[in-house]
Amino acid sequence: MIAEPNQLDRSFGRFLAAHSDASGDLLFKAGCTVSQARRGGHICVPLHEVEPSMDVAGLKEMLLATPLVGGAGEYCPLIIQHDLLYLQRYFKYETVVADYINRAMATRSPLEAFALLDTLFPRRLDEVDDQRRAAESSLCHPFSVISGGPGTGKTTTVAKVLALHLTRNPELRVMLCAPTGKAATRLEESLRWVCAGLAVPQDVREKIVQPVKTIHRLLGFGRAGFRYTVDNLLPADLVLVDEASMVDLPLMASLMAALPPDCRLILLGDAYQLSSVQPGAVLAEICAGGKVDNEPPVIVTLGKSFRFQEESGIRLLADAVKQGDGRAALAILQDERYGDVRLVPQDLSALVPEVCQGYSGPTPEEMLAGFAKVGVLCCHRSGDYGVEDVNAKAMALLGYQPHRYYHGLPLMILANDHNLGVYNGDTCVVVEENGRFYACLQTVTGLRLILVRKLPLHGPAYGITVHKSQGSEYDDVAFLLPPGVSRVLGRELVYTAVTRARKKVTIYGEPGQLVDAVARKVVRVSGLARRLKG
């Protein structure tokens, strides 16, 4: 579960051991283990992993007898809650999130007779309308979650939900945000498209189609930290967070702490997708631990797919992966009835030329269209079938050396630059004009050119990691399984890769490797779900 300890882990353990007269060896192990766990994305660690040879009750008693380990409410470097060991800072983050959600879930307003609700979500007698239930939940509860896979109408639902709230109160201060600049741009574009056909007044439509910020920008992140905190609350009445599965625990805690008591919070995302790069799996934990006995429920899962038919191979494959059934996933990939999914050997000789061709064209618009055609998704940055390998093969095929710019080179931005207005995960193509190279980006208002030398950290984007693909969609997805053993390859990674596709999924790898990956669920240890259940 936990990676090998590094120098930082050992140094923290030695620091704790040096500040206690007794139980030094035990404190060293405790500090080293919990530090390792945090690096692996875990919020805490089960006590039995600190010293497997000891009885948990005795271990807990010995640790709590030292001045460096305490319980909830105490200010110590390490905190024990139940049989879980935390770094003090991460226990505080988890407490902020758990307290906020438990408080919000205990509050319910009666559902008003609202004519627009029936207009936007006509009642259906033949089936449960999950979209309507999500809208009712947002009206009744100060905190709600809308979870759903690709093509289940999350953006359409959210646009209608915002229309409901803005019609009830035209002065409502609504703020929309996402964890990354790329996800923020995509939400803004999607809402603009959905709202064009929404049967609501123009002024309401204009308030829905507003600039979407990253969570960091929403909270006013700067050198001194966040501008909006528990001591300076965000001036908002409703906050909506898209791609909530990508939000780590510290950031979610910072957001919840900065919300006014009467502010509504709506989380939108897919609970089965990859969790954040940083520690925590907040959306998955909320969906696993949140109360489901409310009516309407606080957490609503959109189950009906408007993109894929029941017999779609992509839909069946995604469902099998989601359920952890590797054998069923393999059978679907090998069934000739499903022409939109297949498993092929690890050979990129035909894929690389196809990807390179996708970014060719006489105009920037046609080159940028390559980002929507084929998404080559890798598990790792380095190694065989990693991002660096795919990009090197593509550039070699075109006759270009690494670290050189050329007309038609696809790029991905790897760092934020608020002054330039480009963000981690943004994509662009290089165009040459009058001997100078520019990055050409597609924005909601049209094309934009930036000198490539002004860009923040960036790299070629013929292939990208699955993590970087979150929030994106492609006509075809080529998912490359790495040879050998991979610690990151698990069910969530496969599901996220498969669900980026609109038309076709091709997995490059071995059958046994795929079955093992689907069966392996990457679990991040946390106490959040338990604390939400009370």
Side-chain angles (χ1 to χ4, degrees):
M1 182 194 77
I2 301 175
E4 289 298 313
N6 65 10
Q7 187 59 42
L8 177 63
D9 305 327
R10 296 188 184 95
S11 295
F12 181 62
R14 285 194 292 267
F15 170 80
L16 294 180
H19 285 76
S20 178
D21 295 332
S23 305
D25 289 344
L26 199 57
L27 280 170
F28 171 80
K29 292 178 181 179
C32 190
T33 304
V34 78
S35 179
Q36 285 174 261
R38 187 204 61 80
R39 286 192 299 109
H42 306 288
I43 301 304
C44 52
V45 63
L47 273 173
H48 67 80
E49 294 194 15
V50 172
E51 181 49 87
S53 64
M54 287 187 65
D55 172 69
V56 170
L59 176 61
K60 184 175 182 179
E61 183 179 352
M62 287 185 67
L63 286 172
L64 287 172
T66 72
L68 300 179
V69 184
E74 296 184 68
Y75 191 76
C76 301
L78 301 182
I79 299 293
I80 293 178
Q81 172 86 333
H82 304 299
D83 294 331
L84 299 174
L85 180 67
Y86 294 79
L87 289 167
Q88 196 273 342
R89 183 158 53 109
Y90 283 85
F91 180 76
K92 182 178 179 181
Y93 291 143
E94 189 178 276
T95 300
V96 169
V97 174
D99 288 352
Y100 174 88
I101 295 174
N102 284 328
R103 203 164 48 240
M105 284 184 171
T107 306
R108 185 188 187 283
S109 303
L111 182 64
E112 303 172 14
F114 197 19
L116 186 58
L117 181 63
D118 290 328
T119 301
L120 295 176
F121 302 94
R123 292 186 180 275
R124 300 176 182 174
L125 300 178
D126 57 334
E127 62 178 321
V128 175
D129 187 347
D130 291 327
Q131 293 190 3
R132 182 183 174 106
R133 294 179 83 207
E136 291 174 345
S137 177
S138 76
L139 292 169
C140 293
H141 306 297
F143 170 75
S144 58
V145 176
I146 304 173
S147 177
T152 53
K154 293 193 296 293
T155 307
T156 300
T157 303
V158 161
K160 292 180 179 180
V161 165
L162 294 176
L164 287 173
H165 287 278
L166 286 166
T167 301
R168 292 178 73 196
N169 180 7
E171 303 303 318
L172 198 72
R173 297 170 298 176
V174 174
M175 295 185 178
L176 313 179
C177 60
T180 67
K182 181 179 181 179
T185 300
R186 180 164 181 79
L187 176 61
E188 190 173 332
E189 292 172 345
S190 300
L191 284 175
R192 191 179 299 273
W193 183 82
V194 169
C195 286
L198 207 60
V200 295
Q202 181 63 26
D203 61 330
V204 171
R205 189 179 294 114
E206 290 174 354
K207 290 175 182 176
I208 297 173
V209 184
Q210 61 171 278
V212 181
K213 298 180 179 180
T214 64
I215 301 175
H216 281 84
R217 290 199 75 187
L218 184 77
L219 295 177
F221 183 72
R223 292 183 180 179
F226 291 118
R227 176 187 175 190
Y228 294 106
T229 64
V230 67
D231 297 317
N232 181 33
L233 300 178
L234 194 68
D237 301 311
L238 187 154
V239 172
L240 180 134
V241 182
D242 193 18
E243 295 292 351
S245 66
M246 299 168 65
V247 184
D248 57 71
L249 180 68
L251 185 56
M252 186 67 80
S254 297
L255 175 64
M256 289 179 170
L259 297 180
D262 55 352
C263 178
R264 293 180 185 272
L265 176 63
I266 302 173
L267 302 184
L268 180 68
D270 187 345
Y272 292 96
Q273 273 191 200
L274 276 169
S275 300
S276 60
V277 176
Q278 298 300 318
V282 181
L283 184 65
E285 290 282 306
I286 292 172
C287 291
K291 296 178 182 177
V292 294
D293 55 352
N294 302 39
E295 190 54 48
V298 173
I299 301 164
V300 177
T301 301
L302 306 181
K304 181 177 180 179
S305 176
F306 297 93
R307 181 184 302 169
F308 303 116
Q309 300 298 318
E310 292 288 342
E311 65 278 6
S312 161
I314 294 177
R315 178 173 182 169
L316 293 172
L317 177 60
D319 287 344
V321 172
K322 191 164 61 175
Q323 294 160 14
D325 193 337
R327 295 292 176 187
L330 181 61
I332 293 165
L333 285 161
Q334 295 176 334
D335 195 325
E336 295 183 356
R337 291 178 298 172
Y338 307 117
D340 55 345
V341 293
R342 60 183 182 138
L343 177 69
V344 301
Q346 290 168 317
D347 180 4
L348 306 185
S349 57
L351 174 63
V352 171
E354 179 187 354
V355 174
C356 291
Q357 181 64 30
Y359 296 99
S360 64
T363 66
E365 288 86 353
E366 290 181 75
M367 290 189 290
L368 283 165
F371 287 110
K373 293 176 183 176
V374 180
V376 181
L377 308 185
C378 311
C379 298
H380 302 278
R381 286 205 57 80
S382 57
D384 291 340
Y385 302 98
V387 171
E388 295 169 357
D389 185 32
V390 171
N391 287 325
K393 284 181 168 65
M395 297 175 78
L397 177 70
L398 296 171
Y400 293 102
Q401 296 295 320
H403 313 298
R404 301 293 294 272
Y405 296 113
Y406 53 87
H407 190 76
L409 171 66
L411 296 176
M412 172 168 279
I413 308 299
L414 301 175
N416 296 330
D417 188 321
H418 298 300
N419 293 326
L420 273 181
V422 295
Y423 303 98
N424 190 353
D426 285 351
T427 51
C428 54
V429 292
V430 175
V431 297
E432 185 179 5
E433 291 188 2
N434 301 320
R436 306 179 80 182
F437 292 112
Y438 295 86
C440 181
L441 300 91
Q442 181 71 59
T443 71
V444 292
T445 56
L447 298 183
R448 182 186 176 201
L449 295 179
I450 302 173
L451 280 168
V452 290
R453 61 181 175 81
K454 292 186 176 182
L455 292 176
L457 182 67
H458 56 278
Y462 291 107
I464 63 174
T465 61
V466 178
H467 273 94
K468 288 292 187 185
S469 75
Q470 287 182 274
S472 298
E473 292 179 350
Y474 310 92
D475 288 340
D476 300 344
V477 160
F479 178 38
L480 313 185
L481 302 184
V485 178
S486 169
R487 287 197 303 112
V488 303
L489 181 56
R491 184 184 311 168
E492 295 82 2
L493 197 80
V494 178
Y495 174 81
T496 302
V498 167
T499 54
R500 300 307 93 206
R502 286 186 289 254
K503 297 179 180 178
K504 184 179 178 182
V505 172
T506 304
I507 299 179
Y508 291 74
E510 299 300 322
Q513 188 183 21
L514 175 75
V515 172
D516 290 345
V518 172
R520 188 184 312 119
K521 181 173 176 59
V522 178
V523 177
R524 289 188 168 181
V525 181
S526 163
L528 181 59
R530 182 193 299 187
R531 294 170 79 172
L532 294 181
K533 290 178 178 177

